Amino acid sequence: MSLPKDPVMLLSVVNTQLRDRYPSLSELAADHMTDADEIIKSLRAIGYSYDEENHQFR
């Protein structure tokens, strides 16, 4: 499964997968053959940042 390009859909998919499948953002990114920084950049554009303590984008 590839990650969605739309940032709002990406937010939903990434947070769900971080909650259910992946212990880290870097592992999620590696599994989807992308860079964690690209995910962070895309979600930052819609006002979200990665909260490492809570393991999700907020």
Side-chain angles (χ1 to χ4, degrees):
M1 175 181 143
S2 64
L3 292 173
K5 299 295 181 200
D6 177 82
V8 175
M9 292 298 298
L10 178 63
L11 173 66
S12 177
V13 169
V14 167
N15 273 344
T16 299
Q17 289 193 2
L18 286 171
R19 181 190 68 219
D20 296 344
R21 291 186 65 191
Y22 295 97
S24 72
L25 179 58
S26 60
E27 286 186 47
L28 180 150
D31 247 12
H32 291 281
M33 294 183 279
T34 190
D35 185 61
D37 290 336
E38 288 300 314
I39 295 171
I40 291 169
K41 181 181 173 183
S42 180
L43 295 179
R44 188 177 298 139
I46 60 167
Y48 287 83
S49 60
Y50 186 58
D51 179 346
E52 289 187 48
E53 184 176 317
N54 291 302
H55 194 56
Q56 68 181 356
F57 282 86
R58 300 176 132 208

